Amino acid sequence: SDSLSRIGNRDYNLKVYSLNARADAILADDLVANVTAGYTNIANDIAMTEDFGDAQIKNWQYGFVQGRVTYKDLFIQGSYNRDNTSGSYFLPTGAPLIDKSSTYVAQIQEHLDPMQNEKLTFGFDYKAIVPISDATIYGPDDGHANIQIYGAYLQSQTSLLDDALDIVLAGRLDKDQNQAVNLTPIFSPRAAAVYHFDDNNLVRAMYNSTYLL
């Protein structure tokens, strides 16, 4: 069979083709947009996988597009990535390696100065991962392992004592869910105080609790 004939059949001739493009536009005062896109074809390579050993990569295609808009202190960004391969195989077994997974990302952030000596920064993140491997990587979880991650954050920076003291209070809420597990939202607080004795000397105290996705 094809799988048996491919066991240990290594091709070290590296071939990679890549193309990237970017367009920027100034649409109005303080309004700027840009789009970046790229395509990569790994025509031939050998890669190490975490669970299945070395893999012979054949025509692994990867494409992405990213759009970004900024207006004054408002920032909006979105991106889409997709893999597409069907000719690769695992070298120890000769079994096919298929990956047609996609990733979607969206981000928005705004900055406000509601009062003198007060700065607010807040935003929202979203990420969706859709793994598709025809059971060659994810096995029975294929089609049931989609992941969605939501995050929202708020930060306040207050300047006191003629700007000698900066107080920063921040919080972030993350929600990680997939079709197998629906985790409780996680809150990550942050607090900091910075006192400036002069332009060259300061003292800082910080507290931070972080949740790693």
Side-chain angles (χ1 to χ4, degrees):
S1 67
D2 289 342
S3 295
L4 291 176
S5 65
R6 293 187 301 201
I7 294 177
N9 186 7
R10 296 172 178 265
D11 185 350
Y12 293 98
N13 187 18
L14 175 63
K15 293 181 181 179
V16 179
Y17 307 94
S18 184
L19 176 65
N20 293 278
R22 171 170 172 161
D24 295 86
I26 301 175
L27 304 176
D29 290 343
D30 300 319
L31 178 59
V32 178
N34 67 63
V35 176
T36 305
Y39 169 81
T40 297
N41 185 347
I42 305 175
N44 195 75
D45 194 10
I46 295 177
M48 172 67 73
T49 67
E50 184 175 353
D51 298 319
F52 304 102
D54 289 351
Q56 185 70 54
I57 305 302
K58 295 287 187 180
N59 294 316
W60 191 307
Q61 301 174 60
Y62 169 81
F64 77 92
V65 60
Q66 180 186 75
R68 177 183 300 178
V69 176
T70 57
Y71 177 68
K72 296 183 178 179
D73 293 318
L74 176 64
F75 169 84
I76 301 173
Q77 177 174 279
S79 64
Y80 168 73
N81 305 335
R82 188 174 191 274
D83 291 283
N84 185 15
T85 181
S86 58
S88 303
Y89 55 90
F90 296 107
L91 285 165
T93 63
L97 167 57
I98 297 173
D99 193 350
K100 300 178 182 179
S101 303
S102 301
T103 302
Y104 307 82
V105 177
Q107 299 171 301
I108 181 170
Q109 179 176 288
E110 175 68 294
H111 172 82
L112 298 176
D113 298 322
M115 298 181 296
Q116 187 177 8
N117 301 328
E118 175 70 21
K119 298 178 180 179
L120 290 177
T121 302
F122 55 93
F124 174 79
D125 302 328
Y126 172 76
K127 185 175 185 178
I129 303 172
V130 184
I132 300 174
S133 71
D134 291 354
T136 63
I137 301 175
Y138 306 105
D141 291 329
D142 227 333
H144 305 283
N146 296 357
I147 298 172
Q148 296 187 82
I149 303 170
Y150 308 85
Y153 56 90
L154 172 66
Q155 175 176 294
S156 168
Q157 180 176 330
T158 307
S159 298
L160 304 171
L161 305 177
D162 295 327
D163 295 335
L165 177 64
D166 290 330
I167 302 295
V168 177
L169 299 174
R172 179 181 178 93
L173 189 66
D174 289 287
K175 172 71 171 176
D176 184 358
Q177 70 181 42
N178 58 51
Q179 291 176 298
V181 179
N182 193 358
L183 299 178
T184 302
I186 301 295
F187 178 69
S188 304
R190 176 173 178 261
V194 182
Y195 185 81
H196 301 264
F197 294 100
D198 51 44
D199 291 340
N200 300 313
N201 298 281
L202 61 84
V203 61
R204 177 187 290 114
M206 296 183 62
Y207 169 79
N208 189 53
S209 176
T210 304
Y211 169 60
L212 298 178
L213 297 176

